[in-house]
Amino acid sequence: MRASVTAHKEFTVAKIDPRLYGSFVEHLGRAVYSGIYEPGHATADEQGFRQDVLDLVKELDVPVVRYPGGNFVSAYNWEDGIGPKEERPVRLDLAWHTAESNQVGIHEFADWAAKAETEMMLAVNLGSRGLDEARAFLEYVNHPGGSYWSDLRRQNGREEPWGVKLWCLGNEMDGPWQIGQKTAAEYGRTAFETAKAMRAFDKDIELVVCGSSTPNMPTYPEWEYTVLDYTYDSVDYISLHMYFENHEQNTKNFLARSMELETYIETISSVIKTVKAKKRSKKDVYISFDEWNVWYHSAEQDKPVLEGKHGWPHAPALLEDIYDFADILVVGCILNTFIRHSDVVKIGCLAQLVNVIAPIMTVEDGPAWRQTTFYPYLFASKYGRGTALDLAVDVEGYETDFAKNVPYLDVAGVVTEADGGLSFFLVNRHESEALDVDLSLEGFAHSMVAMDKVIGGYALDKTNGPDAEPVAPVDGEGTSIVDGKLSVKLAPLSYRMIRLT
């Protein structure tokens, strides 16, 4: 099977916001405790942070990390995580039916983020709490001194403010599982007043308002319209969340799920434009896709804890999906979708970073290791920063019961900002046929293949583990550039990243 792709120097989508490749750490399962923080671990530093995990996070070059939730934030008192550790209360977390020790709070997470060389994206509780707590948290985090909350921060050991610019106004407030669920009108009004108060403190912060938890919600997309009708001129982003499943073990359907993501993004983009037109606004609002991932492997094993059959355990193993080779292909398609829509999707957060549906896993008192999905995330984060190309693609497709003409080739291209190179991310969805890809480079003088990495040839259920990481990229072969045309053969069901200089 053949595929034809054209990349033209003048045909671009947008400059990619580096925060498109962000991630997420929630007080959920082992994301924090025995994930990023394990004081007794052999690699732990003086603050208890696992250096082996920090090394892997820095390898991924994660630009921003969302914290502390997630569902957790909707009943969270941020004040529980400040002051002397021995005086911090243990709270029962209603979101995940666990106990929270509060040994890690804003101070500890901020220190970890600095060591991980990432920025913080903080969420405020608009479920069980509201405006007053949000403005107090903002003052604690960002005010230099001379006020109650800023002086308390200084008393607690942090002299300078952290200067966090990116703030989430709650989490998934449309969801019946959420503590403090609201209607779109209730939430829109609350979010507007909270945004107004936070901007009265600092007009330059960036605010993210909650969109639909999934496109399957009965209130979607009316929720986005109503919420933006209240908040459009007061916020900068609307959040979207989506998780991808394959319970039926249908490979064709699973690899086509990113087509639903395309529709989701395009629908909300239209809603944003509609509200902007209604308000005669000169402001642009973008999408923060701050939760996304494959999530279904661990569903059955999590039920006893989530149903309360184990009481209120502290940091139990929850949502610990062990990813396989098939998940690489889906994650690759998701990242390509974000690149192709980088004109409207500016922020993305892979949910999550460590242990909880994550590319990085740890063994308590043992090693940290890379899941299979570590690699497409790594390649996009390192080589997908720059300007997204608007590629013309001609290839055969297939149909599912939810999508028509799913192209066998999924591809995205980026002119990288750091060195002017070209990065192409390619997925062959076909289960049995190779794809002979001809990629025309119009207006480009790139003639050297600087890097060619391929992940393919594995059984779909092949996984990595703490003892071995067999699913990993290897050097590709047979790539050539002749007369401005890149030629490459993509094996069936394979992921490939090619860098040109």
Side-chain angles (χ1 to χ4, degrees), residues 240-257:
L240 301 183
H241 295 173
M242 191 172 185
Y243 293 97
F244 301 81
E245 303 173 349
N246 189 24
H247 291 292
E248 70 277 15
Q249 296 299 305
N250 184 317
T251 302
K252 282 190 173 182
N253 280 358
F254 190 38
L255 298 183
R257 289 296 174 188

Side-chain angles (χ1 to χ4, degrees), residues 34 38 40-43 50 52-53 361-369 466:
S34 78
E38 188 179 340
H41 194 269
T43 70
R50 288 184 58 149
D52 57 351
V53 172
M361 296 295 290
T362 72
V363 175
E364 192 169 359
D365 296 321
W369 51 280

Side-chain angles (χ1 to χ4, degrees), residues 80-320:
D80 291 344
I82 62 175
K85 288 190 175 185
E86 63 274 11
E87 297 178 10
R88 296 181 189 179
V90 174
R91 301 286 191 189
L92 301 184
D93 171 35
L94 303 177
W96 303 107
H97 213 280
T98 55
E100 171 56 50
S101 68
N102 286 301
Q103 292 302 288
V104 171
I106 181 59
H107 286 262
E108 290 78 20
F109 183 74
D111 288 345
W112 177 86
K115 293 179 179 185
E117 300 174 4
T118 189
E119 298 294 324
M120 293 188 288
M121 177 183 188
L122 297 181
V124 300
N125 176 355
L126 293 188
S128 66
R129 308 185 84 184
L131 184 158
D132 216 32
E133 292 79 13
R135 72 185 184 92
F137 191 26
L138 176 60
E139 181 184 316
Y140 187 91
V141 169
N142 279 6
H143 195 56
S147 68
Y148 175 81
W149 290 110
S150 61
D151 285 347
L152 182 58
R153 180 198 69 242
R154 296 167 70 188
Q155 179 183 319
N156 287 332
R158 172 73 184 194
E159 184 69 24
E160 298 299 320
W162 288 291
V164 175
K165 288 296 183 184
L166 191 54
W167 294 80
C168 301
L169 302 175
N171 174 75
E172 293 187 354
M173 299 310 300
D174 60 334
W177 57 85
Q178 205 70 208
I179 302 299
Q181 179 195 12
K182 293 173 173 60
T183 67
E186 289 170 340
Y187 171 68
R189 183 76 178 134
T190 297
F192 168 73
E193 291 295 342
T194 304
K196 184 170 70 174
M198 294 176 77
R199 288 208 186 279
F201 174 83
D202 182 356
K203 63 181 177 59
D204 293 325
I205 57 174
E206 296 178 279
L207 299 177
V208 184
V209 73
C210 291
S212 292
S213 302
T214 81
N216 300 321
M217 299 299 291
T219 52
Y220 162 83
E222 183 181 354
W223 173 277
E224 281 81 359
Y225 181 86
T226 301
V227 168
L228 286 174
D229 200 26
Y230 277 98
T231 64
Y232 190 90
D233 286 312
S234 302
V235 301
D236 303 286
Y237 308 93
I238 186 162
S239 74
L240 301 183
H241 295 173
M242 191 172 185
Y243 293 97
F244 301 81
E245 303 173 349
N246 189 24
H247 291 292
E248 70 277 15
Q249 296 299 305
N250 184 317
T251 302
K252 282 190 173 182
N253 280 358
F254 190 38
L255 298 183
R257 289 296 174 188
S258 59
M259 302 299 289
E260 294 180 312
L261 175 63
E262 297 255 7
T263 301
Y264 193 11
I265 292 169
E266 290 165 4
T267 299
I268 300 309
S269 178
S270 297
V271 172
I272 291 170
K273 292 175 183 176
T274 300
V275 177
K276 178 179 180 178
K278 176 188 175 183
K279 292 184 170 293
R280 311 297 196 265
S281 180
K282 295 181 180 179
K283 179 185 177 67
D284 288 316
V285 170
Y286 299 100
I287 291 171
S288 172
F289 220 109
D290 45 44
E291 285 188 35
W292 68 269
N293 207 342
V294 173
W295 176 17
Y296 73 98
H297 296 282
S298 63
E300 288 301 315
Q301 70 194 43
D302 291 337
K303 283 182 178 179
V305 173
L306 299 179
E307 292 172 355
K309 294 179 181 178
H310 293 172
W312 298 88
H314 179 258
L318 280 174
L319 280 62
E320 297 200 3

Side-chain angles (χ1 to χ4, degrees), residues 12-16 339 342 384-389 413-417:
T12 62
V13 178
K15 183 176 180 180
I16 296 168
I339 291 170
S342 54
R385 304 190 189 196
T387 299
L389 291 168
V414 176
V415 182
T416 52
E417 190 172 48

Side-chain angles (χ1 to χ4, degrees), residues 379-489:
F379 290 139
S381 177
K382 290 182 70 71
Y383 305 115
R385 304 190 189 196
T387 299
L389 291 168
D390 187 4
L391 303 176
V393 182
D394 183 13
V395 66
E396 291 181 35
Y398 66 94
E399 291 193 6
T400 71
D401 56 357
F402 58 85
K404 294 182 178 180
N405 196 28
V406 179
Y408 281 113
L409 173 65
D410 190 280
V411 59
V414 176
V415 182
T416 52
E417 190 172 48
D419 59 4
L422 287 176
S423 298
F424 294 101
F425 309 95
L426 308 102
V427 176
N428 182 358
R429 290 185 170 107
H430 205 291
E431 295 182 71
S432 58
E433 289 192 36
L435 275 176
D436 289 307
V437 180
D438 290 323
L439 200 160
S440 296
L441 304 170
E442 303 292 339
F444 294 104
H446 298 65
S447 58
M448 180 183 297
V449 178
M451 184 182 296
D452 182 0
K453 296 293 183 180
V454 61
I455 313 175
Y458 301 97
L460 289 170
D461 61 355
K462 185 69 173 177
T463 62
N464 290 344
D467 298 322
E469 299 174 7
V471 183
V474 298
D475 290 334
E477 297 178 348
T479 305
S480 65
I481 303 176
V482 178
D483 296 330
K485 181 177 288 186
L486 169 70
S487 297
V488 60
K489 182 184 287 288

Side-chain angles (χ1 to χ4, degrees), residues 42-60:
T43 70
D45 64 15
E46 72 284 355
Q47 290 182 283
F49 299 125
R50 288 184 58 149
Q51 186 61 50
D52 57 351
V53 172
L54 280 167
D55 289 343
L56 290 174
V57 173
K58 286 191 283 187
E59 184 180 344
L60 288 170

